[in-house]
C-alpha cells in the first residue's frame, strides 16, 4: 500500500520537503509532495526516524550540553544525509567534524563531501536551526561565533547557546560552513588550503564565507582573522562579513572582542549573542548564559537607542532646515513693471501684504491691498524692506503698436471737419444745410442718419463732418487723446459778431493746431455786417485773405443755403494744402465718435476710420471693448461691408459700449483682442488710482522745466473783465525765457467753466482766475483732470507767482481753503452796524474767524474780514450748512440779494518743490 509524501510527512510530523529529502537519501524516487511512496520505503523512513524521535524527546529535557550530544546522535541517524551518514551529501568534501545542517559526525558518503570538516555550516549542532558543533553555546544567538574551529556564516566562536547560524567546533561539512573539513565540499573546505567558496576551516587561502584560522580577507566568517570584517568576528582579524569572535578589525554588525568600529550592534566577548532572536531556545539556556544574554540585550537596546537618537538628530535638523531656508529664500531682488499693486508686490517679495501696508504707512502712504503703486513708490518700499528693485517697462499690450506706413502706400483721404462757434450762431443749421444740400445725385434719396458723423461729396471728393458741433465736444475728445478733426469751421453770425464762445472756439482750435475756416453766417439777415466780423476776428489772430492774412472766410446763409458749396470747396482746398493721406490697405484704426447701447442691436458705436479699411468680420478693439464686427451701417443707413479712411460707420458686435473719443483698432484675432482689453482694463485701474496727479502745476513747474519736460507753459486766463485778461496775457508773455515759453492759449471773461478745464486738461495748461471763481463742481472736475487752478485779485501777484515758479522760487506759504458758502437771501440795513446779509449756508460752514469774499455772477467783487456772524440775535462762532444766519462784512455795505458770500481761511503750506 502506497502513501503520498505529504501524508507521510504529516504522519511523521515532518515537512514534506524534509521527507522528500530523506526518501531521496534512502534511494526512493520521489518528486514532490504528491508523489507516492510504497509501503516498504515508507516503513524504512519510519524506522529510521523512530530513533530520532526518542532522541528528540530526550533532548528536550537536557541542557545544551546534552543537546549537543543528542544532536550528534541524531546526526548519526542522518537526518540530513550529512556528517557520518552513509548518505551522499552534496558539496561535502574532507573529514568533516563540525556540525552542519542537521548533521553532525556524519560519515556517509556525500556528494562532494570529503574529510572531517570542522568549519562552520549553516546551522549549529544543537537542535536549533542551523546550529551544530561543540560550541558550548548557552543561549540562542543569531550570527554569533565564539571561538569556532570552523567557519560558519554569521556566528562562529565558542557558542554557548543555541543559535541560528552558530557553529562551534563543528566538524561536519555544512552549507556555507567549513570547519576543519578536509574533504572537498561545495562551499566547505576543512583544512583545505585552496580557495573555497563558503567556509574554510584552517585554510589560508582566500575564501568566500567562513575561514577558520585564515588571515586573508574573507567574506563571511573568519576564525582568527585579523583583518576588517563585516558582521561578527570571533578572533579573526581579517575582514569578514558576518560575525567574528575576537576580531580586531572594523566590522559591520556584531563584533565579539573587536576593537574596530562597528556599525549596528556590537557584543563584547565571544559567545555573547547579538540579538535574542530565537525565543524558543531561551528556555534552554543556562542561567549564566541567560544573564550574559540579558546584559547583551540591554546593551544592545541602549546602543539601538543611541543609534536611533543619532539617526533622528540629523533628521530633525533636516526638518528644521527648510524653515530656515524659507526665510532665506525671500527674494532679494525683484523685477517689476511701471506699476504694481500692493498685493502683487507682496507676492513678488514673498511677504505679507499687511507687512507692506505697514511699511507704506511708515513712509506716509496710506494704501490698500489692491492699490496700485507706481514703480518709484514700490522701489522705495522694497528697498526699505531690503529688496532691490529693477523696473522693466514691458511692452504693454494695452497700447497697440503704431505701424508706420510706407509713404508710397498713402493715398489722399477726405478731411474731417468740426463746426464750432458761439451759441445760436447757426452751427446746427449749417450742418443740416450741408447735409441736405448734398450735391451728389447718387446719394439722393438716401435717408440721412444721425450716427455722429456724415460724409458729403463735392466734385467727386468727400468731406466728413462730425455731427456734434461746438468746441466742447471737440476738446473733450482731445482731452481723451483723440484728435480726429482736420479742419475747424468757425461759425460767426454776421449780425452778432465775435462772442465769448467764438473766442473759446478759436483758442481751442489753435491749441489743437487745427486750421480754421470762418463761415460768416446769417448773411441773409438785414443787419448782417460781415465786415465787422472780419474786423473782430483780427483781434484773435485770424486775418482774412482779402486783408492779407491766411484765414479763409466764407459768407454763408445756412437758412437760405447760400454759398454752402463754396464753403465745401474751401474745405477741400485747405485739405489739399494739408495733404491729408492714409494707407487704405492695412488693418483699420480710428476713433470712436459716439457709442450707445441699443436695445435690439446691443452695443453700437460710430467709428471714424483714420487709416486702413474696416471690414465686416474684422475683430476690433475699442477702448476696453472688443468684438467681431457683425454689421456696419453708413451715415445714410445703408449696410456696408467696407469702410475706408475718414469714413464714419456704425458698427455692431462689440462686447460693451466704448467711450466716445477712445481709439479703436482691428487686431489679428479675438484672443489678442481679449488680451489687449484686459491689459487696458488694468491700465485704466491704475490711471483711476493716479487721477489726482497734477499734470502741470506752478509748484512742480520748475522741476519740469529743469528736467526738460516742459518747454512751454500753457496758461488759460479767466478774468472779470477783458481788460484784465489782456493785461495778464501781455504780462505773462513777457515772462518767456530761453528755456520756457509762456503761452496763454486762452483768455476769457467770466467764471471758470468746464470747457476751460477740458481745454487745460487737453493742452496741459494751468488756469489763472483773476477776480473770478470756479464753482465747486468745476473744482472737483479740475481735481479729477489734474488741472491746476489759481485765483488772484492782484495782477502783480499772478505774475510774480508764475515768475517764481519758473525760476524755482515759488513760495506758496499760504494756501487758501474755502470753508463754506452762503447765499444772500435778504439784505438788512442796520443802523450803526451797516448792511447785514441774511443768508442761507449752502455749502460747508461759515466761521466767524474766516475771511469773506463777495461773489456776484461768478465775479469776486469784494474780499475782506467778517464783522459779525449771528444766528437770530446771538453772536455765534460758526454756522453749519442748511442754517440761516446774518453776516456783516467789515467796511462793506454793497451786498445784494443773490450774492454768494464765500468764507475762506489761509492755511500755511509747506513747499513741495
Ligand atoms: N436768418 C438766418 N437764421 C439762421 C441761419 N442759420 C441759423 N439760423 C437761425 O439761428 C438759430 C440758431 O440756429 P442753430 O443752428 O440752432 O444754432 P446753433 O449754433 O446750432 O445753436 P446751439 O445749438 O444753441 O449752439 C435758429 O433759429 C436758426 O433758424 C441763417 O443763415 N439765417
Amino acid at each position: 500500500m502506497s502513501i503520498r509524501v505529504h501524508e507521510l510527512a504529516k504522519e511523521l510530523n515532518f515537512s514534506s520537503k524534509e521527507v522528500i529529502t530523506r526518501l531521496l537519501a534512502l534511494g526512493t524516487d520521489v518528486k514532490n509532495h504528491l508523489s507516492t511512496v510504497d509501503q516498504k520505503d515508507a516503513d524504512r523512513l519510519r524506522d529510521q526516524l523512530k530513533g530520532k524521535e526518542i532522541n528528540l524527546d530526550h533532548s528536550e529535557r537536557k541542557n545544551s550540553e546534552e543537546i549537543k550530544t543528542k544532536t550528534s546522535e541524531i546526526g548519526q541517524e542522518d537526518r540530513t544525509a550529512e556528517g557520518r551518514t552513509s548518505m551522499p551529501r552534496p558539496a561535502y568534501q574532507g573529514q568533516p567534524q563540525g556540525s552542519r545542517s542537521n548533521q553532525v559526525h556524519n560519515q556517509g558518503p556525500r556528494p562532494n563531501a570529503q574529510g572531517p570538516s570542522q568549519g562552520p555550516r549553516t546551522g549549529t549542532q544543537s537542535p536549533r536551526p542551523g546550529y551544530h558543533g561543540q560550541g558550548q553555546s548557552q543561549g540562542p544567538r543569531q550570527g554569533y561565533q565564539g571561538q569556532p574551529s570552523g567557519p560558519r556564516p554569521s556566528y562562529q566562536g565558542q557558542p554557548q547557546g543555541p543559535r541560528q547560524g552558530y557553529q562551534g567546533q563543528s566538524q561536519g561539512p555544512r552549507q556555507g560552513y567549513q570547519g576543519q573539513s578536509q574533504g572537498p565540499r561545495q562551499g566547505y573546505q576543512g583544512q583545505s588550503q585552496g580557495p573555497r567558496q563558503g567556509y574554510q576551516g584552517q585554510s589560508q587561502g582566500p575564501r568566500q564565507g567562513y575561514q577558520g584560522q585564515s588571515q586573508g580577507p574573507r567574506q563571511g566568517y573568519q576564525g582568527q582573522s585579523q583583518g576588517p570584517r563585516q558582521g561578527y568576528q570571533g578572533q579573526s582579524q581579517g575582514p569578514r562579513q558576518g560575525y567574528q569572535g575576537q576580531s580586531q578589525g572594523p566590522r559591520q554588525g556584531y563584533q565579539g572582542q573587536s576593537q574596530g568600529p562597528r556599525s549596528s550592534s556590537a557584543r563584547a566577548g565571544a559567545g555573547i549573542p547579538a540579538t535574542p532572536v530565537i525565543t524558543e531556545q531561551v528556555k534552554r539556556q543556562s542561567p549564566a548564559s541567560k544573564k550574559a544574554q540579558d546584559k547583551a540585550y540591554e546593551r544592545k537596546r541602549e546602543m539601538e537607542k543611541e543609534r536611533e537618537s543619532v539617526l533622528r538628530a540629523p533628521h530633525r535638523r533636516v526638518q528644521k532646515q527648510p524653515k530656515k531656508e524659507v526665510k532665506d529664500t525671500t527674494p532679494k531682488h525683484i523685477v517689476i513693471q511701471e506699476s504694481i499693486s500692493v498685493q502683487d508686490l507682496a507676492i513678488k517679495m514673498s511677504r505679507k501684504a499687511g507687512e507692506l501696508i505697514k511699511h507704506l504707512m511708515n513712509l506716509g502712504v496710506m494704501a490698500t491691498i489692491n492699490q496700485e503703486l507706481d514703480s518709484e513708490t514700490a522701489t522705495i518700499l522694497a528697498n526699505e524692506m531690503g529688496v532691490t528693485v529693477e523696473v522693466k517697462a514691458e511692452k504693454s499690450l494695452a497700447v497697440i503698436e503704431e505701424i508706420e506706413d510706407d509713404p508710397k502706400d498713402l493715398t489722399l483721404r477726405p478731411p474731417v471737419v468740426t463746426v464750432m462757434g458761439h451759441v445760436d450762431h447757426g452751427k446746427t443749421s449749417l450742418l443740416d444745410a450741408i447735409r441736405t444740400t448734398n450735391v451728389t445725385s447718387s446719394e439722393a434719396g438716401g435717408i440721412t442718419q444721425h450716427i455722429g458723423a456724415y460724409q458729403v461729396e463735392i466734385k467727386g471728393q468727400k468731406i466728413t463732418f462730425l455731427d456734434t458741433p461746438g468746441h466742447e465736444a471737440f476738446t473733450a475728445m482731445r482731452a481723451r487723446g483723440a484728435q480726429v478733426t482736420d479742419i475747424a469751421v468757425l461759425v460767426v453770425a454776421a449780425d452778432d459778431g465775435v462772442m465769448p464762445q467764438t473766442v473759446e472756439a478759436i483758442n481751442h482750435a489753435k491749441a489743437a493746431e487745427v486750421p480754421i475756416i470762418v463761415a460768416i453766417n446769417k448773411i441773409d439777415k438785414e443787419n448782417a455786417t460781415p465786415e465787422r466780423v472780419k474786423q473782430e476776428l483780427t483781434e484773435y489772430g485770424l486775418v482774412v485773405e482779402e486783408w492779407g492774412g491766411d484765414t479763409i472766410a466764407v459768407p454763408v446763409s445756412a437758412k437760405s443755403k447760400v454759398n454752402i458749396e463754396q464753403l465745401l470747396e474751401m474745405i477741400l482746398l485747405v485739405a489739399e494744402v494739408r495733404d491729408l493721406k492714409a494707407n487704405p490697405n492695412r488693418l483699420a484704426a480710428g476713433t470712436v465718435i459716439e457709442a450707445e447701447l441699443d436695445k435690439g442691436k446691443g452695443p453700437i458705436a460710430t467709428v471714424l476710420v483714420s487709416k486702413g479699411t474696416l471690414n465686416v468680420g474684422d475683430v476690433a478693439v475699442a477702448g476696453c471693448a472688443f468684438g467681431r464686427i457683425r454689421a456696419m451701417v453708413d451715415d445714410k443707413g445703408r449696410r456696408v461691408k467696407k469702410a475706408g479712411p475718414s469714413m464714419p460707420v456704425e458698427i455692431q458686435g462689440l462686447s460693451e459700449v466704448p467711450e466716445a473719443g477712445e481709439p479703436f483698432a482691428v487686431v489679428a484675432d479675438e484672443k489678442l483682442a481679449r488680451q489687449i482689453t484686459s491689459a487696458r482694463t488694468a491700465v485704466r485701474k491704475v490711471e483711476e488710482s493716479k487721477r489726482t496727479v497734477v499734470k502741470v502745476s506752478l509748484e512742480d513747474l520748475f522741476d519740469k522745466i529743469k528736467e526738460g519736460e516742459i518747454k512751454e507753459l500753457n496758461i488759460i486766463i479767466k478774468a472779470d473783465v477783458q481788460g484784465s485778461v489782456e493785461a495778464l496775457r501781455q504780462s505773462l508773455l513777457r515772462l518767456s525765457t530761453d528755456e520756457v515759453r509762456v503761452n496763454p492759449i486762452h483768455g476769457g471773461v467770466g467764471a471758470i467753466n468746464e470747457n476751460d478745464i477740458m481745454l487745460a486738461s487737453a493742452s496741459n495748461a494751468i488756469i489763472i482766475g483773476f477776480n473770478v471763481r470756479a464753482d465747486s463742481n468745476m473744482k472737483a472736475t479740475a481735481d479729477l483732470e489734474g488741472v491746476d487752478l489759481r485765483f488772484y485779485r492782484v495782477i502783480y501777484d499772478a505774475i510774480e507767482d508764475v515768475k517764481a515758479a519758473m525760476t524755482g522760487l515759488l513760495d506758496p506759504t499760504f494756501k487758501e481753503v474755502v470753508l463754506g458758502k452762503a447765499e444772500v437771501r435778504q439784505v438788512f440795513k442796520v443802523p450803526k452796524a451797516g448792511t447785514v446779509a441774511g443768508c442761507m449756508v449752502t455749502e460747508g460752514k461759515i466761521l466767524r474767524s474766516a475771511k469773506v469774499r463777495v461773489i456776484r455772477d461768478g465775479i469776486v467783487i469784494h474780499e475782506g474780514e467778517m464783522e459779525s456772524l449771528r444766528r437770530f440775535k446771538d453772536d455765534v462762532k460758526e454756522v453749519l450748512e442748511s442754517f440761516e444766519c446774518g453776516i456783516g462784512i467789515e467796511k462793506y455795505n454793497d451786498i445784494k440779494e443773490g450774492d454768494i458770500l464765500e468764507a475762506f481761511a489761509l492755511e500755511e503750506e509747506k513747499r513741495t518743490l
Side-chain angles (χ1 to χ4, degrees), residues 63 79 105-106 123 135 199 239 286 314 394 420 424 458 467 483 695 836 855 857 876 879 885 900:
N63 62 20
R79 278 183 69 171
H105 305 307
N106 85 42
Y199 169 72
S286 68
E394 273 182 24
M420 301 178 185
D424 278 350
I458 173 125
D467 235 352
Q483 174 141 346
K695 287 178 176 172
V836 170
I855 302 161
D857 302 324
V876 289
V879 179
C885 63
I900 302 291

Side-chain angles (χ1 to χ4, degrees), residues 421-430 469 491 501 521-525 556-561:
H422 193 70
V423 180
D424 278 350
H425 278 201
K427 303 181 288 287
T428 312
S429 302
L430 184 63
V491 181
Q501 282 189 308
N521 194 24
K522 303 193 185 179
I523 52 159
D524 59 298
K525 277 199 161 179
V556 293
S557 170
K559 196 175 179 185
S560 322
K561 293 177 182 152

Side-chain angles (χ1 to χ4, degrees), residues 220-238:
Y221 172 75
Q222 292 169 343
Q224 292 172 351
S225 74
Q226 291 170 0
R229 285 151 284 178
Q230 268 195 331
Y232 175 75
Q233 294 168 341
Q235 292 174 347
S236 74
Q237 288 163 3

Side-chain angles (χ1 to χ4, degrees), residues 471-758:
H471 57 274
E472 295 87 352
F474 165 85
T475 303
M477 212 170 253
R478 257 191 77 216
R480 286 193 201 106
Q483 174 141 346
V484 291
T485 305
D486 299 313
I487 297 164
V489 168
L490 179 71
V491 181
V492 187
D495 61 338
D496 203 16
V498 172
M499 296 303 283
Q501 282 189 308
T502 314
V503 178
E504 269 184 29
I506 292 168
N507 291 331
H508 281 234
K510 277 186 174 174
E513 296 176 353
V514 170
I516 297 169
I517 295 176
V518 181
I520 302 172
N521 194 24
K522 303 193 185 179
I523 52 159
D524 59 298
K525 277 199 161 179
E526 278 181 13
N527 57 348
T529 51
E531 296 304 307
R532 184 172 67 95
V533 173
K534 289 174 193 170
Q535 172 68 45
E536 287 171 353
L537 286 172
T538 55
E539 289 175 31
Y540 301 96
L542 298 177
V543 182
V544 293
E545 282 177 319
E546 59 210 78
W547 291 359
D550 56 3
T551 303
I552 297 172
V554 184
V556 293
S557 170
K559 196 175 179 185
S560 322
K561 293 177 182 152
V562 176
N563 276 350
I564 302 297
E565 268 186 55
Q566 196 191 340
L567 176 67
L568 296 175
E569 280 172 18
M570 287 302 132
I571 291 169
L572 285 176
L573 187 74
V574 172
E576 198 183 314
V577 173
R578 295 208 73 193
D579 197 24
L580 303 168
K581 284 181 173 177
N583 175 12
N585 303 313
R586 50 164 283 175
L587 292 179
T591 307
V592 176
I593 303 296
E594 273 182 10
E596 61 176 353
L597 187 65
D598 186 279
K599 277 183 184 172
K601 300 174 192 169
I604 52 168
T606 297
V607 297
L608 182 66
V609 180
S610 59
K611 52 183 86 168
T613 299
L614 185 63
N615 301 290
V616 170
D618 281 349
V619 176
V621 171
C624 291
F626 75 97
R628 194 174 287 279
I629 295 170
R630 286 201 307 267
M632 293 201 298
V633 175
D634 73 359
D635 56 330
K636 310 285 182 306
R638 296 171 299 203
R639 284 196 166 244
V640 287
K641 288 188 172 172
K642 283 175 187 296
S646 297
M647 181 171 170
V649 276
E650 188 183 271
I651 59 168
Q652 292 174 36
L654 291 177
S655 57
E656 57 183 85
V657 181
E659 276 183 40
E662 282 187 314
F664 94 93
V666 171
V667 294
D669 52 44
E670 279 188 57
K671 190 185 166 198
L672 179 60
R674 210 179 290 274
Q675 285 172 345
I676 292 167
T677 50
S678 58
R680 281 183 180 176
T681 311
V683 168
R684 184 178 286 184
K685 268 189 196 168
V686 176
E687 279 171 359
E688 274 167 11
S689 71
K690 285 184 183 171
R691 269 254 164 102
T692 49
V693 175
V694 175
K695 287 178 176 172
V696 60
S697 68
L698 285 186
E699 264 90 2
D700 64 3
L701 180 65
F702 180 66
D703 283 348
K704 290 193 171 174
I705 292 168
K706 261 202 323 194
E707 286 163 15
E709 273 183 46
I710 285 195
K711 295 265 181 276
E712 215 173 53
L713 173 62
N714 290 337
I715 298 177
I716 293 169
I717 306 159
K718 291 303 286 277
D720 51 348
V721 289
Q722 187 60 38
S724 299
V725 176
E726 232 4 77
L728 259 171
R729 211 172 71 88
Q730 294 302 329
S731 306
L732 289 169
L733 275 173
R734 280 197 290 270
L735 292 176
S736 289
T737 64
D738 290 343
E739 283 175 326
V740 62
R741 187 170 76 94
V742 177
N743 185 26
I745 56 167
H746 175 58
V749 173
I752 293 162
N753 60 31
E754 200 171 347
N755 288 330
D756 299 322
I757 292 163
M758 293 315 283

Side-chain angles (χ1 to χ4, degrees), residues 177-196:
Y177 168 76
Q178 292 163 350
Q180 289 176 353
S181 71
Q182 289 163 2
R185 280 163 288 175
Q186 217 185 13
Y188 170 75
Q189 288 169 346
Q191 292 170 348
S192 73
Q193 291 171 2
R196 281 163 287 176

